Amino acid sequence: MKSTYKPIAVISGDVINSTKLTSEQFEQLLIRIKDIQHLITEGSLSNVHSIERGDEFQTVVHDIENALRYSIIYRIAIKALGKPFDSRISFAIASNADLRESVSESMGEAFVLSGRGLKKLKNDRLIFNSDRLELSNNFDLLFKYLDRQLTELTSRQCEVMLPMLKTNDGLSISELSKKLDVADATASKSLKASGWLLINELNWRFINQVLGLKHV
């Protein structure tokens, strides 16, 4: 067991209506979740994950400034698989965690807040909590709007936005269009329709506020 007094983030999620997926769709889902977790590990080798029963997942995030970006990636990467796919995501930031080799056996306030938030989700599909009340209050309403925006995205819009989120620096429209193998105008139109500019602005606001916590 390793104790850390620095704040960590915990992302907890589950797949909506996973029992209705075919075996082929379930395999697609499992591959996608593993791909997302591999990407998050590339962000920080300290980040660790678990997958339970194939439709529940959890990630411990040490580069906490990226917690929102990783949460959105989970959400839209799963939605990008098609209409039957969506997930609920709860993420939390808190200090004082006891980290074990198994994520599911680790303990601490971030784990409690993240798990509790996931259980609270009914009609909503994204929630954030923190032991820093000011941080939670600052983003509560903004994340409600973000949740609605992400829920309304089509799988195609998710596909277009995903490459932009995979790097904090983003991509130019020409770089994005090459990745998607579409015309620049098509990529630009789809990205605008997805609400990318405001989502990106919100992500950077979150990054700037959370970065300060790492040095407290």
Side-chain angles (χ1 to χ4, degrees), residues 51-77:
I51 302 175
E52 302 290 337
R53 297 186 298 279
D55 64 350
E56 295 181 4
F57 48 87
Q58 195 167 58
T59 290
V60 178
V61 178
H62 290 269
D63 51 333
I64 59 173
E65 67 276 13
N66 288 312
L68 173 60
R69 183 167 67 93
Y70 294 153
S71 297
I72 298 174
I73 288 174
Y74 262 123
R75 185 82 190 280
I76 69 170

Side-chain angles (χ1 to χ4, degrees), residues 114-180:
S114 180
R116 189 181 294 162
L118 189 62
K119 290 179 180 179
K120 284 183 179 179
L121 285 175
K122 302 298 181 184
N123 297 322
D124 297 331
R125 297 180 183 179
L126 178 71
I127 190 169
F128 170 69
N129 286 289
S130 176
D131 60 352
R132 272 80 167 178
L133 189 58
E134 183 180 358
L135 185 64
S136 299
N137 291 340
N138 284 348
F139 288 98
D140 182 58
L141 185 59
L142 291 171
F143 286 167
K144 289 183 186 298
Y145 279 102
L146 172 63
D147 182 25
R148 187 173 69 175
Q149 179 67 21
L150 296 179
T151 298
E152 293 176 353
L153 291 177
T154 65
S155 57
R156 180 56 181 166
Q157 288 171 335
C158 288
E159 286 179 1
V160 172
M161 193 189 297
L162 192 54
M164 303 295 287
L165 281 161
K166 285 183 175 180
T167 167
N168 260 339
D169 297 327
L171 301 168
S172 67
I173 292 299
S174 60
E175 289 171 331
L176 178 63
S177 62
K178 286 179 182 177
K179 279 185 173 291
L180 300 172

Side-chain angles (χ1 to χ4, degrees), residues 14-84:
D14 61 16
V15 178
I16 297 170
N17 295 326
S18 60
T19 57
K20 296 182 179 180
L21 299 177
T22 65
S23 57
E24 183 179 347
Q25 288 173 331
F26 197 83
E27 188 62 28
Q28 280 183 283
L29 172 67
L30 191 57
I31 292 171
R32 180 56 56 91
I33 292 174
K34 288 180 179 179
D35 286 344
I36 297 166
Q37 293 182 342
H38 178 72
L39 172 71
I40 294 173
T41 300
E42 288 181 341
S44 172
L45 294 178
S46 298
N47 295 339
V48 291
H49 322 273
S50 68
I51 302 175
E52 302 290 337
R53 297 186 298 279
D55 64 350
E56 295 181 4
F57 48 87
Q58 195 167 58
T59 290
V60 178
V61 178
H62 290 269
D63 51 333
I64 59 173
E65 67 276 13
N66 288 312
L68 173 60
R69 183 167 67 93
Y70 294 153
S71 297
I72 298 174
I73 288 174
Y74 262 123
R75 185 82 190 280
I76 69 170
I78 290 172
K79 278 179 67 73
L81 291 172
K83 193 172 182 180

Side-chain angles (χ1 to χ4, degrees), residues 58 85 96:
Q58 195 167 58
F85 300 90
N96 303 329

